[in-house]
Every structure is written in C-alpha cells, then in structure tokens.
C-alpha cells in the first residue's frame, strides 16, 4: 500500500474514475486559470492605457496654456499658473529647461524633501516610455513631452500620475478572481467526479454481475443493463456471447465426464467383481499371483471411487443429483462413521456429542460420505500419534459438525482453493496419493443440503473442518 492509498483508502489512483476526474479537472483548471490570467493582464493594460491617454492629453495642452498665460504674465508665473490649472492630488507636473533645470512644478511635488520626487526627475532625464514605474512602494505612470512655444523648444513637460490606489484595487480584484476561480475549479471537479462515477456505473454493474456467475449457472447467466451507454451495452452483449460459448463448452465437458465415468465405472465394476471372485477361490493361486490380484482389486476399487465421485459432480452440475430427505439421527451416524474410520486406520478418534440426540431431515448416505471424506483426510494429513476429534452440537437452527486434527495444517494461501476440483496442496510433504476430489464432493453435497463447509487451519498445528447443516 503506497502513501496515497494510506491517506485516501477509498480512492484508487489507477481507476478510470480517478483518471478521468483528474484529467478533466486539470484541463478545466488550465482553461480557467489561463482565462483569469488573460483577463487580469487585459484589465491592467486598459487601466494603464486610460491613464496614459489622460496624461498625454495634459502634456499636449500644457504648452498651449503656457503660451496663453505668457502673453499676460511673466514666463515663470505663466508656467506655474498653467501647472496649477492641471494639477490634482494624484497628478504631479513639472517643467524643466533644456539643461534639465527645474523651472516650475506642481505644489504637491517637492524634490527637496521627497526622495521619490528626485527619482522621478532622474527618470525624466532619459527619453521616456510612457509606462508604470514602481518607486518606494508607489506606482506611477510617467509620461512627458516637449514644451514648444511659438515653434521654439523651451524645455520639457513631465507628468507623473500616482496609480498606487488603483493598482491596490486591481490586485485585490485579481485575488478575488483567483479565489473565485479556485472555488469554481473545486466545484467543477466535484461535479465531474460525480458525473464520471455515475457514467461508470454500468461498468461496475457488469463487473458485479460477472463476478457472481458460477460455473453451474453459466447456462442462465446473462447481463441485463438498463439505461447504459451504447458502448457499454455492446460490451455486455459480447460478454453474454462469451458466457453462452462458455456454457456450451462447460456442458460438453460435463457430458463427456459423465459418459466416460459411467462407461468406465461399469466395466471396472465387472473387472473388480471377477477379481474378487477369483480371490475368493484362491486355493490354486501362488502367493505372487494372490498379491498381484489383491493389488489389482484394490486399484480397481480406488478407481471406481474416483469415477463415482466424478459422476456425482457431473450430476450435481447438471442438477440431476438426487438427495433423499429422511429423518436421520446425527449422533448415530457420527458414531457409526467414526468407528468405521477407526477400524480402517486403527487411529484413536474421540467424539464429543451433546446430550440430546440431534435429528435432521437429510440424505443419511450422503452425510456419511461427507464425514468419511473429512475423517479420512484428518487421518491422511496428520501423524499417527496425534489425536483426531469429532464434535457434534447444535446452535439455534444449525447443526455443527467439526472434524479437528493436530496434523500438518494447510498454508493460508491454499485454504481458499482446497474445495476446488483436483486441487491438492504440496503432495510431496504429505506423501498421500489422493485425487483432490474429496473436499469438492463434500462441499457440493453440503451445499445441496442447504448447508456450508469451512476450514480453519494453521500450518504445523492442525485443521478444523466445520460442516453446518440446517435443522
Ligand atoms: P485429496 O484426495 O488430495 O485428499 P481433498 O479434496 O480431500 O483431496 O483435499 C484437497 C487438499 O486439501 C489435499 O490435497 C490436502 O493437501 C488438503 N487437506 C484436506 N484436508 C486436510 C487436513 N485435514 N489437513 C491438512 N490438509 C488437508
């Protein structure tokens, strides 16, 4: 588990939902972010241009004012009068001669006391591009023009407009726009996540439906989707076609297993019968012949059992496995099977049974088959000197039968597979020659009776198989 999954356990970064959401959210963020940046830049340009236009107008009018006033007043007074007409709180004006000596200035412009005023004057000594200058925390738009009177250049008119307040307002507005953009992106991402999740629902539906399909119901299993997009419906159709092909193949395999098991079992039963009858009349046989016949008979019997198991499984798959429902006293069945197993294996098997006899309606032969399989396994997969215990009790409307051994145990990774057909665990360790069918038969039979079977096991410590049947 990586760090991301630890922090967001329900979010799978490789899921289509997360990828689509992130992809669309990133593109929306880029789009909205770009739009906001462009709008901000454009507004700044508009603001500066309007100031520039205003100042250029002043710069072009001022020489005309000076010309008019100089006809009535001395030249320096005319300059001061023209400046005082145009000055405002935010607009600073000053006029210098061709040697850059200050001739006149607006009253709020004091180069002797204000350091920023000196810097402004220094800036105007060079050819001036009308734009924003930042001086000591203040922003100025600076522009200038020639002081030309009656065709003669007498100096230079410089105008500075303090736009610090406008700039502050503009920055505040850009910040609000930024916050609004972020909020919109979050809202859009939430909406997209919801919409993507809603759109992917049919895919999840397909996954849930296919997950629930078991080998036994392949024939009827079909995916039905309402209101799904056409692409997903197409996918469902393809899956349905695949399911029906699988059902055909499964049916053929089941038929084949059933037919071949039936044929082989019949002939082997005859062979086994002949071997038994020869063995019964063994007077004329040598020891070697007797031993060979005994081996052949026991192998034939083992193979008949395997074929019987295969036949049972094939019948269960096709729904033809008939189980009777007669009242049976479980205490008696358990005692009978345990004593049978004890005789066959000469193992000490203890029984724990509750006082009251437990009766259920079920197929007693099949229950015996289940118990024999489980006890046989407990004997096979444990050392001869370890105990085996069979436990029978009732909890509410369930009968619980437990077969406990202190044997080799089953590794955790194999426990979920041992009820599968032909599945065997590490045969080299246990030295047994099983088929891997016993537990799958037991599971099939228990489930046909409406019960369940489970295992709890620890490697080197033993296993407990629990069969629970409805009363
Ligand atoms: P098998 O014919 O191999 O015994 P089963 O279906 O009965 O087939 O069992 C499947 C596998 O489960 C066995 O190969 C064995 O490894 C494991 N197993 C079953 N019962 C036990 C048990 N009581 N203790 C340890 N392992 C067991």
């Amino acid at each position: 588990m990586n760090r991301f999954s630890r922090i967001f356990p329900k979010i799978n970064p490789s899921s289509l939902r997360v990828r689509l959401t992130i992809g669309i959210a990133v593109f929306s963020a880029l789009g909205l972010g770009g739009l906001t940046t462009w709008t901000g830049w454009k507004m700044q340009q508009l603001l500066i241009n309007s100031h520039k236009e205003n100042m250029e107008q002043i710069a072009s009018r001022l020489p005309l004012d000076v010309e008019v006033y100089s006809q009535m007043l001395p030249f320096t007074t005319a300059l001061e009068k023209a400046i005082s007409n145009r000055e405002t709180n935010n607009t600073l004006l000053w006029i210098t001669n061709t040697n850059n000596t200050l001739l006149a200035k607006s009253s709020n412009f004091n180069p002797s006391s204000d350091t920023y005023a000196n810097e402004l004057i220094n800036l105007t000594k060079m050819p001036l591009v009308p734009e924003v200058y930042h001086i000591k925390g203040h922003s100025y738009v600076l522009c200038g023009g020639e002081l030309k009177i009656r065709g003669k250049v007498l100096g230079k008119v410089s105008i500075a407009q303090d736009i610090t307040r406008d700039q502050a307002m503009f920055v505040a507005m850009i910040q609000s726009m930024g916050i609004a953009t972020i909020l919109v992106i979050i809202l859009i991402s939430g909406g997209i996540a919801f919409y993507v999740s809603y759109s992917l629902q049919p895919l999840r539906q397909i996954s849930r439906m296919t997950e629930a399909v078991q080998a036994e119901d392949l024939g009827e299993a079909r995916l039905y989707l309402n209101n799904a997009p056409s692409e997903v419906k197409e996918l469902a159709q393809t899956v349905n076609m695949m399911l029906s092909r699988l059902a055909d193949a499964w049916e053929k395999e089941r038929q084949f297993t059933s037919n071949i098991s039936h044929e082989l079992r019949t002939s082997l039963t005859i062979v086994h019968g002949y071997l038994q009858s020869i063995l019964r009349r063994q007077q004329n046989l040598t020891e070697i012949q007797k031993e060979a016949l005994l081996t052949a008979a026991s192998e034939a019997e083992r193979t008949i059992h395997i074929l019987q198991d295969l036949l049972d499984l094939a019948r269960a798959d096709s729904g033809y496995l008939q189980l009777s429902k007669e009242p049976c006293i479980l205490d008696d069945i358990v005692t009978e099977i345990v004593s049978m197993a004890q005789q066959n294996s000469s193992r000490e098997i203890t029984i724990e049974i509750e006082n009251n006899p437990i009766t259920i309606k079920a197929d007693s032969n099949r229950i015996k088959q289940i118990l024999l399989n489980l006890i046989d396994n407990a004997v096979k997969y444990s050392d001869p000197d370890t105990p085996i215990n069979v436990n029978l009790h009732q909890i509410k409307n369930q009968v619980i039968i437990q077969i406990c051994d202190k044997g080799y145990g089953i590794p955790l990774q194999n426990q979920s597979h041992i009820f599968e057909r032909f599945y065997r665990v590490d045969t080299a360790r246990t030295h047994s020659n099983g088929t891997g069918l016993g537990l799958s038969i037991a599971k099939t039979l228990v489930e046909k009776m409406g019960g369940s079977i489970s295992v709890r096991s620890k490697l080197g410590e033993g296993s407990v198989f629990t069969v629970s049947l409805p009363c």
Side-chain angles (χ1 to χ4, degrees):
M1 215 190 217
N2 59 26
R3 211 162 143 215
F4 182 88
S5 342
R6 273 203 302 275
I7 301 170
F8 304 104
K10 286 202 169 164
I11 299 179
N12 177 4
S14 57
S15 73
L16 193 57
R17 181 180 152 207
V18 171
R19 283 183 187 187
L20 278 176
T21 308
I22 291 178
I24 300 174
V26 165
F27 279 114
S28 320
L30 285 177
L32 274 175
L35 189 69
T36 310
T37 314
W38 182 83
T39 313
W41 176 82
K42 195 73 197 158
M43 282 168 73
Q44 167 111 343
Q45 292 303 310
L46 285 174
L47 181 78
I48 292 168
N49 283 344
S50 79
H51 281 291
K52 269 196 237 165
E53 270 172 29
N54 186 19
M55 289 160 66
E56 275 164 2
Q57 222 173 20
I58 297 175
S60 65
R61 291 272 173 84
L62 202 81
L64 297 176
D65 291 356
V66 173
E67 202 173 327
V68 172
Y69 288 126
S70 62
Q71 287 168 3
M72 302 171 270
L73 301 166
F75 183 63
T76 322
T77 323
L79 290 178
E80 275 163 9
K81 182 86 180 128
I83 284 177
S84 75
N85 268 358
R86 299 282 170 187
E87 74 176 17
T88 65
N89 279 350
N90 296 334
T91 315
L92 311 170
L93 288 119
W94 65 99
I95 295 173
T96 47
N97 63 12
T98 44
N99 298 329
N100 277 328
T101 312
L102 194 63
L103 296 177
K105 62 173 188 60
S106 52
S107 57
N108 52 0
F109 186 66
N110 297 310
S112 52
S113 56
D114 299 336
T115 46
Y116 70 86
N118 275 319
E119 281 199 37
L120 285 172
I121 289 179
N122 286 339
L123 278 171
T124 54
K125 283 179 185 165
M126 290 168 270
L128 208 59
V129 186
E131 60 177 78
V132 180
Y133 292 88
H134 300 281
I135 299 166
K136 302 216 180 312
H138 282 252
S139 304
Y140 295 93
V141 180
L142 214 55
C143 118
E146 288 177 330
L147 179 66
K148 209 174 189 181
I149 294 173
R150 289 182 212 106
K152 207 169 151 199
V153 177
L154 298 179
K156 194 173 176 186
V157 179
S158 303
I159 306 163
Q161 206 154 42
D162 189 346
I163 57 161
T164 313
R165 254 188 69 202
D166 291 0
Q167 277 290 87
M169 273 165 57
F170 174 74
V171 169
M173 200 190 73
I174 289 289
Q175 275 172 353
S176 314
M177 265 173 72
I179 291 170
T181 309
I182 290 170
L183 285 179
V184 169
I185 289 171
I186 291 172
L187 279 178
I188 288 180
S189 306
I192 292 168
F194 176 75
Y195 183 71
V196 168
S197 161
Y198 174 76
S199 307
L200 292 179
Q201 228 162 5
L203 283 183
R204 272 198 295 275
Q205 229 175 319
I206 290 186
S207 151
R208 266 199 306 274
M209 285 175 175
T210 37
E211 211 175 75
V213 174
Q214 299 287 328
E216 302 85 64
D217 34 66
L218 268 175
E220 295 91 54
R222 291 294 172 269
L223 308 180
Y224 297 104
L225 297 175
N226 297 326
N227 303 327
S230 53
E231 293 87 345
V232 180
K233 275 190 179 154
E234 242 171 73
L235 175 69
Q237 235 167 7
T238 317
V239 174
N240 279 341
M241 272 151 44
M242 191 188 76
L243 282 176
S244 83
R245 281 200 300 275
L246 275 176
D248 283 351
W250 174 253
E251 178 58 25
K252 276 184 196 141
E253 189 200 300
R254 194 194 52 69
Q255 274 289 340
F256 173 76
T257 316
S258 168
N259 293 346
I260 202 106
S261 311
H262 191 263
E263 290 303 318
L264 289 177
R265 193 189 56 159
T266 315
S267 0
L268 261 178
T269 312
I270 297 168
V271 171
H272 185 248
Y274 277 123
L275 288 171
Q276 288 292 344
S277 79
I278 296 169
L279 275 168
R280 267 196 299 275
R281 282 180 260 115
Q282 50 180 269
Q283 302 89 318
N284 306 328
L285 297 176
T286 64
E287 267 316 298
I288 296 173
Q289 284 170 333
K290 228 191 290 173
E291 206 173 303
L293 284 174
L294 271 171
T295 312
S298 108
E299 276 307 303
E301 198 180 354
R302 201 175 80 86
T303 316
I304 289 169
H305 274 134
I306 296 172
L307 291 170
Q308 182 59 51
D309 283 352
L310 281 174
L311 208 55
D312 281 349
L313 283 173
R315 281 183 184 147
D317 289 341
S318 53
Y320 293 130
L321 186 74
Q322 297 298 331
L323 298 183
S324 65
K325 256 195 168 189
E326 75 235 16
C328 35
I329 304 165
L330 276 179
D331 311 54
D332 295 346
I333 293 179
V334 170
T335 318
E336 183 190 330
I337 295 300
V338 165
S339 65
M340 228 168 100
Q342 259 171 335
Q343 276 167 19
N344 288 343
S345 65
S346 60
R347 277 289 280 278
E348 174 77 31
I349 303 173
T350 54
I351 311 178
E352 276 175 44
I353 294 181
E354 276 182 0
N355 287 338
N356 303 330
I358 299 170
T359 312
I360 62 166
K361 268 192 162 180
D363 190 321
S364 56
N365 285 330
R366 293 302 187 178
I367 292 182
K368 285 178 191 171
Q369 188 181 351
I370 296 165
L371 291 181
L372 261 178
N373 268 341
L374 295 175
I375 296 174
D376 185 42
N377 277 351
V379 172
K380 266 196 298 190
Y381 302 114
S382 62
D383 286 331
D385 54 346
T386 54
I388 293 172
N389 176 259
V390 180
N391 189 324
L392 170 69
H393 58 276
Q394 186 171 354
I395 298 177
K396 291 184 186 159
N397 53 355
Q398 292 285 314
V399 174
I400 312 288
I401 309 169
Q402 285 182 312
I403 292 92
C404 321
D405 65 63
K406 300 244 178 283
Y408 313 133
I410 305 161
L412 192 63
Q413 71 269 23
N414 300 114
Q415 288 179 18
S416 57
H417 298 291
I418 54 169
F419 295 102
E420 290 167 13
R421 288 170 201 185
F422 300 107
Y423 190 88
R424 308 202 64 227
V425 186
D426 187 9
T427 45
R429 181 174 57 88
T430 53
H431 308 292
S432 93
N433 58 346
T435 57
L437 281 175
L439 287 180
S440 60
I441 287 271
K443 184 172 164 32
T444 307
L445 292 174
V446 168
E447 285 177 355
K448 285 270 170 213
M449 291 181 203
S452 64
I453 182 167
S454 61
V455 62
R456 224 176 54 236
S457 182
K458 209 164 179 199
L459 207 56
E461 288 186 17
S463 315
V464 178
F465 280 85
T466 306
V467 174
S468 113
L469 293 168
C471 284

